[in-house]
């Protein structure tokens, strides 16, 4: 038996996947009200296409922009537009949102109809469907998918990678999707291959999901160009560059993009959303969200409408177990702590985790120069050196040592025996550098 592939560096945090990995996806009852932020993607925010008092249909496009790097948004329920007002986004940003009161009729928008047979669609038609459906990277990056499948003419793409790693602890939404709907992911993979005009796809899945590997291998069996590759269990294998190295042995150049080496990466959830857009005509109005952590009574994987409040997911999972000290949107290593549970589920919400202890409660101590942060850094940086410069206000030196190449995976902080706030310092320094640069150019 061959040795499973992986990348260099990384860490092995306890997975805690058992809390929800065997919980089948539960369809959550649509809420009485949804809040749909106009910015749920990388790129330009949408402008509203509706106004207060308008009646909207489920799946109706309610926000869009002419910008290429953007993605429209859609009503996830039928009902009446109650307000268009600033709302909190789970990333902590304050953005405009459209509040819709659900009339419970589930009235489908007339624009929704199954698209043509895949054989009838050319690459341009597929890109248009993906864009109109508002599909973005559902692994958390939320980069508009139609942009990814429209590479510049000087980039020659030969491989599509489908990311089924889900390497962050606790999260199991992608796992369940692969176990329960492998044929949807394979269909979406075929759509992506056609959009890119290539025939080779590799689906990377970590070995802690044997049932997902088996289901995906079975679904892919009839398509010789699609290969399922089991990977060692390691964080952050789901990060684009690390996944590419693990599967192909190739390195994306520093500061470059996967398409510079002929590769496009998409998440399994994105592939399933593409299937829904093409075969069912449905835009992206719902997603699978894991609700887990020791502070949740009954961990679940929910299929939930975009715009549902986080508090309603917690309630549907039986409420809190004990008194939570921390609620996080996303995984425990890269997620964002939430201070208000009335914020809505957006396209980037892979999980809601509740903990009865603070993950960052330990006091930092002086660095003992053990080098562990250097050993695990998957970007081959010297976190201890970068942080020394960043904390000392020497941002130019920190940049020289690769500050901006840090992907904020948190592996360095995780292993540091002195509890140093390494990734936190790096994040702050990156923000400071970016602020200084935009000041100079404005
Ligand atoms: S320096 Fe950045 S990329 Fe390297 S381990 Fe720390 S957070 Fe991850
Ligand atoms: S892991 Fe922590 S203690 Fe060890 S070298 Fe890095 S910063 Fe210093």
């Amino acid at each position: 038996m061959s040795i499973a592939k992986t990348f260099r560096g990384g860490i092995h945090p306890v997975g805690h996947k058992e809390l929800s990995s065997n919980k089948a996806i539960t369809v959550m009852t649509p809420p009485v009200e949804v809040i749909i932020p106009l910015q749920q993607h990388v790129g330009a925010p949408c402008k509203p296409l509706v106004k207060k008092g308008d009646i909207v249909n489920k799946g109706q496009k309610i926000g869009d922009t002419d910008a290429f790097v953007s993605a429209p948004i859609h009503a996830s329920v039928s009902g009446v537009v109650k307000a268009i007002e600033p709302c909190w986004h789970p990333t902590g940003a304050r953005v405009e949102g459209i509040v819709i009161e659900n009339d419970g009729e589930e009235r489908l928008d007339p624009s929704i109809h199954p698209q043509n047979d895949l054989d009838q669609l050319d690459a341009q038609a597929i890109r248009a469907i993906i864009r109109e459906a508002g599909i973005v990277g559902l692994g958390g990056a939320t980069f508009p998918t139609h942009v990814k499948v429209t590479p510049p003419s000087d980039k020659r793409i030969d491989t599509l990678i489908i990311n089924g790693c889900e390497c962050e602890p606790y999260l199991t939404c992608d796992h369940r999707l692969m176990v329960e709907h492998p044929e949807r992911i394979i269909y979406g993979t075929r759509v992506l291959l056609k959009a890119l005009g290539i025939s080779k796809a590799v689906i990377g899945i970590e070995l802690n999901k044997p049932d997902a590997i088996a289901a995906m291998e079975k679904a892919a069996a009839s398509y010789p160009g699609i290969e399922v590759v089991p990977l060692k269990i390691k964080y952050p294998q789901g990060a684009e560059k690390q996944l590419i190295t693990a599967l192909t042995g190739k390195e994306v150049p520093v500061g470059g993009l996967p398409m510079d080496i002929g590769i496009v990466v998409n998440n399994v959830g994105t592939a399933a959303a593409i299937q829904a857009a093409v075969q069912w005509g449905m835009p992206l109005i719902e997603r699978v969200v894991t609700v887990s952590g020791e502070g949740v009574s009954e961990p679940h994987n929910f299929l939930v409408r975009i715009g549902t409040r986080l508090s309603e997911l917690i309630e549907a999972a039986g409420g809190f177990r004990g008194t939570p000290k921390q609620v996080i949107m996303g995984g425990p290593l890269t997620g964002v702590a939430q201070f208000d549970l009335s914020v809505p589920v957006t396209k980037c919400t892979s999980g809601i985790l509740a903990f009865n202890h603070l993950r960052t409660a330990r006091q930092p101590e002086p660095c003992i120069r053990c080098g562990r942060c250097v050993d695990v850094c998957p970007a081959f940086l010297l976190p201890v050196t970068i942080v020394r410069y960043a904390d000392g206000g020497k941002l130019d030196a920190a940049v020289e040592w690769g500050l901006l190449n840090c992907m904020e995976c948190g592996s360095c902080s995780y292993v540091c025996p002195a509890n140093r706030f390494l990734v936190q310092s790096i994040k702050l320094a990156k923000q400071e550098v970016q602020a200084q640069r935009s000041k100079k150019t404005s």
Side-chain angles (χ1 to χ4, degrees):
M1 194 176 154
S2 63
I3 297 168
K5 297 178 176 186
T6 192
F7 63 99
R8 209 187 86 189
I11 56 175
H12 298 90
V14 181
H16 300 286
K17 304 266 191 187
E18 71 290 347
L19 291 174
S20 58
S21 58
N22 290 321
K23 304 279 178 71
I25 297 169
T26 304
V27 180
M28 200 172 141
T29 308
V32 294
E33 186 178 279
V34 292
I35 309 163
I36 317 274
L38 284 156
Q39 172 102 56
Q40 299 185 44
H41 47 265
V42 170
C46 294
K47 292 194 174 70
L49 301 174
V50 291
K51 58 184 184 322
K52 186 179 172 184
D54 281 0
I55 305 290
V56 294
N57 300 316
K58 177 177 154 184
Q60 180 179 332
K61 188 160 76 167
I62 56 172
D64 204 352
T65 161
D66 291 337
F68 179 55
V69 183
S70 185
I73 58 159
H74 302 78
S76 58
V77 295
S78 62
V80 60
V81 176
K82 211 169 135 187
I84 300 177
E85 60 188 19
C87 68
W88 287 112
H89 188 281
T91 55
R94 192 87 169 137
V95 298
E96 286 289 298
I98 299 177
V99 183
I100 304 170
E101 194 175 295
N102 185 0
D103 62 15
E105 291 183 17
E106 292 284 279
R107 198 176 47 254
L108 267 190
D109 195 65
S111 64
I112 290 168
H113 51 82
Q115 303 289 339
N116 301 328
D117 189 277
L118 184 51
D119 292 338
Q120 307 288 317
L121 296 171
D122 61 16
Q124 208 179 340
I126 291 170
R127 289 182 198 128
I129 291 169
I130 291 174
R131 192 213 171 271
E132 276 305 292
I135 295 172
V136 300
L138 294 189
T142 67
F143 192 77
T145 305
H146 68 273
V147 180
K148 267 195 177 178
V149 294
T150 314
S153 53
D154 61 330
K155 305 287 179 201
R156 228 179 101 79
I157 306 299
D158 54 41
T159 306
L160 168 68
I161 287 179
I162 298 293
N163 186 349
C165 287
E166 200 166 51
C167 59
E168 277 244 19
Y170 294 95
L171 300 182
T172 55
C173 53
D174 286 350
H175 182 173
R176 291 311 309 176
L177 206 51
M178 289 188 280
V179 169
E180 296 178 48
H181 301 288
E183 70 299 331
R184 288 187 54 197
I185 297 165
I186 296 299
Y187 187 97
T189 302
R190 290 171 54 221
V191 174
L192 284 163
L193 285 173
K194 194 154 186 194
L196 291 164
I198 60 174
S199 55
K200 180 182 170 191
V202 187
I203 303 174
I205 309 173
E206 291 194 340
L207 283 165
N208 56 357
K209 306 175 192 63
D211 47 355
I213 292 170
M216 292 296 294
E217 279 177 341
K218 192 171 169 207
S222 318
Y223 304 101
I226 304 177
E227 185 190 5
V228 176
V229 178
L231 295 167
K232 272 189 188 169
I233 305 159
K234 194 154 45 141
Y235 174 88
Q237 195 141 245
E240 237 176 32
K241 291 180 179 177
Q242 282 58 48
L243 181 58
I244 288 170
T245 305
L247 287 170
T248 68
K250 293 183 186 173
E251 298 273 353
V252 177
V254 173
L257 294 169
M259 63 173 63
D260 295 332
I261 54 168
I263 294 172
V264 167
V265 183
N266 277 281
N267 173 266
V268 288
T270 311
I274 289 170
Q275 173 276 334
V278 173
Q279 273 197 309
W280 303 337
M282 282 306 293
L284 181 51
I285 61 165
E286 61 188 7
R287 64 158 299 149
V288 183
V289 178
T290 300
V291 182
S292 188
E294 291 78 16
V296 169
S297 291
E298 300 157 22
H300 267 77
N301 297 291
F302 288 118
L303 179 64
V304 57
R305 298 287 170 90
I306 303 291
T308 305
R309 288 180 169 85
L310 304 191
S311 55
E312 291 171 287
L313 269 89
I314 299 278
E315 211 175 293
F320 289 122
R321 182 201 299 271
T323 308
K325 288 258 172 47
Q326 199 167 41
V327 177
I328 293 169
M329 192 275 303
L333 286 149
T334 57
V336 182
Q338 301 297 304
F339 59 89
D340 179 353
L341 297 184
S342 66
V343 301
V345 166
T346 68
K347 295 175 184 179
C348 77
T349 311
S350 51
I352 309 293
L353 309 178
F355 300 102
N356 294 337
H357 61 277
L358 278 179
R359 292 173 309 138
T360 49
R362 297 173 303 168
Q363 284 304 309
E365 289 163 20
C367 170
I368 57 169
R369 307 194 70 79
C370 65
R372 284 194 211 171
C373 56
V374 179
D375 291 344
V376 300
C377 178
F380 312 135
L381 301 173
L382 305 181
V384 59
T385 307
I386 294 173
V387 170
R388 195 169 64 238
Y389 285 125
D391 286 354
K394 295 181 177 167
L395 290 181
D396 287 345
V399 169
E400 266 174 46
W401 282 89
L403 172 77
L404 300 179
N405 299 326
C406 165
M407 56 184 178
E408 302 176 13
C409 69
S411 299
C412 49
S413 296
Y414 182 84
V415 295
C416 177
N419 310 321
R420 313 260 334 142
F421 294 153
L422 298 169
V423 67
Q424 294 86 344
S425 287
I426 288 174
K427 276 185 189 179
L428 285 174
K430 280 173 82 177
Q431 283 166 13
E432 181 61 29
V433 169
Q434 266 137 18
Q436 286 179 5
R437 287 185 177 179
S438 46
K439 219 182 207 174
K440 271 188 199 156
T441 52
S442 63

